[in-house]
Amino acid sequence: MPAEDTSLDTLAARVSAARAATEARGETFYPGPSRVHLAAFPPKERWDDWVELSSRAWPARQERHYQLVPTTCFNCESACGLLAYVDRGTGQVRKFEGNPEHPGSRGRNCAKGPATLNQITDPDRILYPMKRSGPRGGGQWERITWDEALDTLAARIRAAITESRQNEIMIHIGRPGEDGYTERVLASWGVDGHNSHTNVCSSGGRTGYQFWMGADRPSPDHANADVIYLISSHLEAGHYFNPHAQRITEARARGAKVIVLDTRLSNTATHADHWLSPRPGSEAAINLAIAQHLIATKRYDREFVRDWWNWAEYLHACHPDRPASFETFEAILATLYTDFTFEYAAAESGVDAKVIAEVAGIVAGAGTRLSSHVWRSAAAANLGGWQVARTLFLISALLGAIATEGGTFPNGFNKFVPKPIHTPPHPGVWQDLSWPIEYPLAQNEMSFLLPHFLAEGRGRLDTYFIRVYNPVWTNPDGLSWMEVLTDESKVGCFVALTPTWNESAHFADYVLPMGHSSERHDTHSYEQYDGQWLGFRQPVLRAARERLGQTITDTRQVNPGEVWEENEFYTELSWRIDPDGSLGIRQYHESRANPGQKLTVDEYYGWMFENSVPGLPERAAAEGLTPLQFMRRYGAFEITKGQGALYRQEIPAAELADIAVTDTGRVYTAAPRPASPNIVPMGAPEPDERDRRPVGVEVDGKVLRGFPTPSGRLEFWSSTLAAWGWPEHALPGYIKSHVHRDNLEPGQMVLLSTFRLPTQIHTRSANAKWLDELAHTNPVWIHPADAARLGVAKTGDLVRVETEIGYFVAKAWITEGIRPGVVACSHHMGRWRLANGPRGAGGMMATVDLRNGEEGWRMQRRASVAPYESADPDTQRIWWSDTGVHQNLTFSVHPDPISGMHCWHQAVRVRPAQPGDVQGDISVDTGKAREVYRQWLKLTRPAGSGSPEGLRRPFWLMRPLKPARDLFRVRQE
């Protein structure tokens, strides 16, 4: 008999057929958003007392009674729904499973969701506030009280504010997990001190999308697509990968085709109908060849292009001598990309021209049902990587596959951010350390350049917080970070808000324990399908006890040790900064219901759910609940489904009494007036004393909502790039990467370092034992042809990978899953601890010696991970010792001059390990790192006298914690 077909496609088809058969029989499916069979989930009516039989008691029938309490996962940005199984007898969380009431994840989780249990029961986690008692990095700590920590920090911050040193306060966040809470805290302090990890994560992709549509993220409707075009490993490890992977799998089961561009054979690529393995950085050339095919064969949506591209603005600016007609634009468009033939794309990418032509035909056949996505990968890795996103969106814009069923939406159509109870004003300062004048178009804060700016004397930090961030480990050039973090003249007080020890916390002055995902409050909403939902992360033990009638006023009453949550911590800290209200800070952290008292989390979220979430109060009332009670019980609420093309919404005539229309159809108020949320495009520019407010865009005599761009249309030609010194890149185009073969020296290869394994993410999951066991090392992928050429005999042999500032030593993995001339290494591994430091992630942190000598920094492994005794008996069962190498330490900074994105790809030399080399060895010259920083800084075109109106940055571009408008102008010394 032939072997049973167990492929993903076959299994998905069987599941789909079984579901259809069950529905045909009239059997019940789960009534929530997940729409899976009722047998798969406990019915919500029984969540207060769910009974399961103990497997360990078999054959005896021993019942376990649980409360099921929803929260959301925090091990990536997907924010998938979780159900905590809280033992009614012991009050402990026994496990986490999926929440079927969550519209995004629909009851399903990847491995990282259930592993939340490992994180909250981690025997090495931090349970009490700690203060260093010796030199920074000395490994000496003493336990202190929260009062001592709060009073000390409040005094420092208050002094900085009253002495007009607001720019010496900074909170640096990696994965926020919430929609703007910390930004509002800083705004209440009058501080432009928000910093993020985004320019080492996704700013390249965001930039390409924002210059097109005014929104910085795509929202692909994968579920309804006929063709799914992915650049990178999105199905198993990409952006929002669990919610997206479900929908991609469902689309494939009904016949949709998947195209994947990924130099590495990712898990996603193995399931693609067409896998293209291009030379790194050539992806935009392939995209433009496909776009040229659509243009040359006239298979683009002519009406959509005519109505929704800013072609008239382009003609006016670039071809003023030609007739201002759409026919003129079409004639010009037909000539713009003629050089991007399939043969040219093949020469650049190394992908056969016939394959590219075949893919172009498939894409053309998708029409408006083409969904596409790029986030990190090529957009994050290459100089000019933002053009990868811009050229990918060009294909969708040609097909008219924008906000269509099966197309790609602006994220704002599918994301919902509720209004909070208090909204502080914009801060009255500009933080040059995060938003330097050299990068006026940077998508986000230039966070990874902070140590270089501090070393140059551009400023100093009095009080520096990190949260869900590990800059020494996460960023490139981490040893330059370590140098400034140990220099008290540059960073006066360094505070790590973290539940676990990490490489950066070791050098902090204060380590304050914050809660994991099931121990804190947040709201969040992400673009995962054509609809809007709001999720509610909550401390599950608090919610469980409140269901039993207990009163909980502080999460420390239910969390282990003295672990706190950010919301309550920041409220308390803000009150201590401004105890009498004289600084104007306290009012934004004060109760409305009980003036003079602190704002509680119940009032904060209760007000938000009651007043800012359409449909939630009515839905809650139907069940006899308040909106807060509803969200505590179910954890998520679907606001809308099937948003559709919001840009086509017609502005009501009553709103158009006093307007002006430009020659290109942009509709403004005739004079400045207060904004109306009913007619302002999402993210639209704010008015100043001279500007009129954009209302919409005129199309065929009607005023429609349009897009939040300067023109109100999709911007094929970016007036912003043209005006701010980059006219040669104003159109979607191809920028040859810094690792293009023309830029490589003889013998150099390209190192891919941006990919991640499906069961690890950044630094947070290293304290999850189940995930550690699944994935704990990061070998260097080498093609067999390269291995033979280099003299690497077999998998497991050590290789030395040499970068421009140092080298690292790792094991080789010889595989045909990488194209020749390219090597790859996952960025999750290589966790380490100094011998004098706390254990940290005991199952993933090797013990190292780190010293600085005449030849620079040298890291050598002293001891690998091994079994050890703890409160968790599983730590004695650790069977692995190899935890990989911290490659990021050997990368210098590569800031893209436009997007600000760190360009991760490295030009490297790979050779067999040298005598004395040991797995995990690191060598770094931070002096060379500074030289590379200065070389890339020369690529910039700073704001100043040549920028429009002498601005530092365009008003319309997104910016977290946007300062007061007059601060956008360059200061005149």
Side-chain angles (χ1 to χ4, degrees):
M1 293 179 63
E4 183 180 8
D5 184 356
T6 58
S7 68
L8 180 62
D9 287 339
T10 301
L11 293 175
R14 289 177 179 174
V15 170
S16 180
R19 176 178 298 178
T22 304
E23 287 181 321
R25 292 193 301 267
E27 294 184 12
T28 305
F29 270 63
Y30 190 86
S34 58
R35 290 293 295 160
V36 293
H37 194 275
L38 184 61
F41 294 103
K44 60 186 178 182
E45 294 80 11
R46 296 172 59 189
W47 284 8
D48 282 338
D49 188 12
W50 176 248
V51 181
E52 292 186 350
L53 298 181
S54 172
S55 59
R56 293 186 177 183
W58 176 262
R61 180 184 176 88
Q62 180 179 323
E63 293 185 347
R64 280 188 170 173
H65 291 252
Y66 297 103
Q67 287 189 80
L68 306 189
V69 182
T71 189
T72 51
C73 185
F74 194 43
N75 282 326
C76 83
E77 196 174 357
S78 295
C80 297
L82 294 176
L83 276 182
Y85 283 61
V86 181
D87 192 306
R88 291 177 63 93
T90 65
Q92 296 176 322
V93 179
R94 293 289 187 181
K95 62 180 177 179
F96 289 93
E97 293 187 350
N99 178 9
E101 291 292 315
H102 194 288
S105 56
R106 305 186 296 183
R108 300 169 174 90
N109 297 113
C110 74
K112 295 192 289 291
T116 300
L117 182 66
N118 302 158
Q119 295 169 307
I120 65 173
T121 59
D122 169 27
D124 296 321
R125 70 179 297 186
I126 303 164
L127 296 177
Y128 303 96
M130 307 294 288
K131 176 184 177 182
R132 70 173 171 92
S133 57
R136 279 189 188 166
Q140 298 170 282
W141 300 91
E142 61 177 306
R143 178 177 165 181
I144 60 172
T145 65
W146 274 109
D147 282 334
E148 179 181 346
L150 287 161
D151 287 341
T152 301
L153 295 175
R156 295 186 72 101
I157 296 170
R158 181 169 59 252
I161 293 171
T162 57
E163 296 168 13
S164 299
R165 293 186 289 110
Q166 290 94 330
N167 280 344
E168 295 184 9
I169 304 167
M170 182 178 290
I171 300 178
H172 205 153
I173 299 175
R175 182 70 63 205
E178 39 90 352
D179 286 319
Y181 184 90
T182 308
E183 293 175 35
R184 291 189 289 272
V185 169
L186 285 163
S188 75
W189 297 354
V191 170
D192 183 24
H194 182 275
N195 211 340
S196 72
H197 82 303
T198 312
N199 267 331
V200 296
C201 177
S202 56
S203 284
R206 292 170 186 261
T207 296
Y209 288 113
Q210 180 154 351
F211 282 138
W212 254 115
M213 58 179 173
D216 69 337
R217 303 189 192 200
S219 179
D221 183 19
H222 289 316
N224 297 302
D226 288 343
V227 177
I228 298 167
Y229 187 175
L230 306 174
I231 299 181
S232 84
S233 55
H234 277 271
L235 178 59
E236 98 277 3
H239 198 51
Y240 307 145
F241 73 88
N242 171 37
H244 279 182
Q246 295 181 39
R247 292 165 173 87
I248 292 171
T249 302
E250 291 168 2
R252 293 192 67 214
R254 60 169 179 75
K257 300 296 183 183
V258 175
I259 299 164
V260 173
L261 271 65
D262 195 335
T263 305
R264 178 184 66 93
L265 182 61
S266 63
N267 291 357
T268 302
T270 65
H271 294 294
D273 296 281
H274 293 272
W275 169 45
L276 282 63
S277 175
R279 294 190 183 102
S282 65
E283 294 83 357
I286 295 174
N287 292 341
L288 289 176
I290 296 172
Q292 168 59 17
H293 172 73
L294 297 176
I295 295 167
T297 60
K298 300 187 183 301
R299 298 182 73 179
Y300 61 93
D301 188 328
R302 188 170 184 267
E303 181 179 353
F304 180 85
V305 173
R306 179 184 68 86
D307 288 348
W308 291 107
W309 286 29
N310 69 331
W311 57 266
E313 189 178 23
Y314 165 68
L315 290 180
H316 176 77
C318 300
H319 300 278
D321 56 331
R322 302 281 295 271
S325 67
F326 182 63
E327 290 72 20
T328 299
F329 173 71
E330 282 190 295
I332 294 172
L333 179 64
T335 68
L336 287 176
Y337 298 109
T338 53
D339 290 342
F340 289 91
T341 62
F342 296 139
E343 290 71 24
Y344 175 81
E348 285 296 290
S349 67
V351 178
D352 188 271
K354 292 181 180 178
V355 172
I356 299 174
E358 183 179 0
V359 166
I362 294 171
V363 168
T368 59
R369 289 184 178 269
L370 172 75
S371 68
S372 62
H373 204 296
V374 62
W375 197 238
R376 287 175 57 84
S377 184
N382 298 285
L383 176 67
W386 57 274
Q387 282 282 29
V388 175
R390 193 143 156 75
T391 55
L392 179 62
F393 195 83
L394 170 63
I395 297 170
S396 296
L398 282 166
L399 292 172
I402 309 299
T404 56
E405 186 172 73
T408 301
F409 291 68
N411 74 309
F413 287 19
N414 301 147
K415 177 180 173 68
F416 179 81
V417 181
K419 181 181 178 181
I421 189 170
H422 297 305
T423 304
H426 299 297
V429 291
W430 183 288
Q431 177 54 272
D432 296 277
L433 291 173
S434 301
W435 301 93
I437 200 167
E438 292 93 342
Y439 297 91
L441 303 182
Q443 185 68 27
N444 288 83
E445 302 94 338
M446 298 301 299
S447 59
F448 61 97
L449 297 185
L450 181 61
H452 294 286
F453 292 160
L454 291 173
E456 287 180 341
R458 297 195 185 201
R460 73 178 295 273
L461 295 176
D462 178 274
T463 307
Y464 175 63
F465 296 86
I466 59 172
R467 175 66 180 114
V468 201
Y469 198 50
N470 183 0
V472 170
W473 189 89
T474 301
N475 289 315
D477 193 16
L479 291 171
S480 289
W481 277 88
M482 198 180 75
E483 288 175 352
V484 299
L485 291 177
T486 54
D487 186 342
E488 295 185 48
S489 69
K490 295 180 175 61
V491 180
C493 181
F494 175 25
V495 185
L497 306 174
T498 175
T500 57
W501 290 101
N502 58 49
E503 290 81 354
S504 301
H506 181 77
F507 301 101
D509 299 304
Y510 293 88
V511 176
L512 305 181
M514 293 289 157
H516 283 292
S517 60
S518 62
E519 300 166 338
R520 54 181 279 185
H521 287 93
D522 297 304
T523 55
H524 37 263
S525 173
Y526 297 119
E527 56 283 357
Q528 297 171 352
Y529 64 97
D530 183 17
Q532 290 182 329
W533 56 268
L534 183 68
F536 187 38
R537 185 177 288 118
Q538 64 176 334
V540 297
L541 294 182
R542 174 180 184 144
R545 294 195 187 183
E546 288 176 339
R547 280 196 207 172
L548 296 175
Q550 298 182 32
T551 299
I552 306 297
T553 58
D554 188 313
T555 54
R556 289 174 294 182
Q557 296 169 330
V558 295
N559 284 343
E562 294 179 7
V563 172
W564 216 355
E565 66 161 310
E566 286 94 323
N567 293 22
E568 293 172 346
F569 165 75
Y570 282 128
T571 296
E572 184 63 35
L573 180 59
S574 298
W575 271 65
R576 298 195 189 204
I577 294 170
D578 186 18
D580 59 3
S582 61
L583 297 180
I585 295 172
R586 202 181 80 173
Q587 61 181 313
Y588 300 110
H589 306 271
E590 188 170 347
S591 169
R592 286 188 178 181
N594 300 290
Q597 296 183 22
K598 292 170 190 159
L599 182 65
T600 66
V601 290
D602 278 356
E603 184 178 355
Y604 181 88
Y605 291 106
W607 187 95
M608 178 184 289
F609 297 150
E610 182 70 40
N611 296 279
S612 301
V613 185
L616 176 56
E618 295 78 9
R619 178 71 178 82
E623 296 198 23
L625 302 172
T626 67
L628 177 61
Q629 289 170 336
F630 181 94
M631 294 298 282
R632 288 211 183 277
R633 175 161 291 273
Y634 299 120
F637 176 67
E638 188 172 51
I639 300 165
T640 60
K641 192 172 184 179
Q643 289 282 91
L646 297 183
Y647 66 92
R648 294 182 183 272
Q649 287 183 346
E650 189 169 354
I651 304 301
E655 304 286 351
L656 303 175
D658 188 20
I659 61 170
V661 184
T662 68
D663 292 340
T664 57
R666 191 58 156 133
V667 179
Y668 291 90
T669 55
R673 62 180 180 178
S676 168
N678 295 322
I679 59 174
V680 179
M682 293 170 299
E686 300 171 14
D688 66 9
E689 66 280 359
R690 296 172 296 103
D691 292 345
R692 299 163 298 168
R693 178 174 53 77
V695 173
V697 60
E698 188 178 62
V699 179
D700 292 336
K702 296 179 180 179
V703 179
L704 307 181
R705 180 175 182 174
F707 294 90
T709 59
S711 68
R713 287 179 162 86
L714 294 174
E715 302 218 334
F716 170 69
W717 176 76
S718 172
S719 60
T720 302
L721 282 164
W724 286 79
W726 300 95
E728 70 272 33
H729 297 314
L731 297 179
Y734 175 40
I735 299 173
K736 291 185 177 180
S737 173
H738 64 297
V739 294
H740 187 277
R741 64 186 187 280
D742 292 348
N743 297 324
L744 296 179
E745 299 173 359
Q748 283 188 320
M749 305 175 72
V750 180
L751 170 66
L752 308 184
S753 62
T754 57
F755 74 93
R756 55 191 181 198
L757 302 181
T759 53
Q760 293 281 3
I761 179 165
H762 300 310
T763 66
R764 297 190 304 285
S765 56
N767 286 68
K769 61 185 180 183
W770 297 338
L771 304 182
D772 295 345
E773 186 170 23
L774 289 171
H776 43 256
T777 189
N778 57 343
V780 177
W781 298 35
I782 303 178
H783 190 273
D786 289 324
R789 174 176 57 83
L790 296 169
V792 181
K794 63 183 186 303
T795 290
D797 285 356
L798 293 181
V799 293
R800 179 186 281 198
V801 181
E802 298 174 352
T803 69
E804 57 197 335
I805 65 170
Y807 67 82
F808 64 88
V809 177
K811 292 179 180 178
W813 182 38
I814 301 175
T815 173
E816 293 186 357
I818 194 78
R819 71 172 297 126
V822 181
V823 292
C825 189
S826 169
H827 72 84
H828 289 88
M829 311 300 176
R831 302 298 305 277
W832 52 269
R833 57 179 290 271
L834 298 178
N836 64 353
R839 180 179 297 278
M844 285 295 285
M845 280 183 155
T847 304
V848 302
D849 286 325
L850 180 63
R851 59 185 183 277
N852 193 8
E854 293 183 1
E855 297 182 357
W857 288 96
R858 184 73 186 275
M859 178 183 289
Q860 292 181 302
R861 187 160 297 180
R862 172 183 288 190
S864 299
V865 298
Y868 65 98
E869 289 191 21
S870 75
D872 181 357
D874 281 346
T875 62
Q876 298 183 35
R877 302 184 178 104
I878 293 174
W879 54 265
W880 61 92
S881 59
D882 180 8
T883 52
V885 62
H886 185 187
Q887 60 176 336
N888 291 11
L889 285 178
T890 68
F891 300 166
S892 53
V893 296
H894 296 158
D896 183 273
I898 293 177
S899 69
M901 179 77 216
H902 169 61
C903 306
W904 279 101
H905 282 342
Q906 303 288 314
V908 300
R909 298 181 188 276
V910 182
R911 63 186 69 199
Q914 303 300 293
D917 281 352
V918 176
Q919 160 79 352
D921 279 1
I922 299 285
S923 178
V924 174
D925 185 336
T926 53
K928 289 183 179 179
R930 285 189 287 275
E931 293 175 9
V932 175
Y933 152 72
R934 286 190 284 267
Q935 291 169 10
W936 281 71
L937 195 64
K938 291 178 182 178
L939 301 178
T940 63
R941 299 176 188 178
S945 58
S947 57
E949 301 183 58
L951 296 177
R952 303 185 57 106
R953 177 178 178 81
F955 288 129
W956 80 273
L957 285 184
M958 295 180 180
R959 186 196 191 287
L961 198 63
K962 194 173 277 189
R965 199 170 172 90
D966 60 345
L967 294 170
F968 276 70
R969 307 195 183 283
V970 177
R971 294 193 302 268
Q972 300 297 323
E973 301 296 339

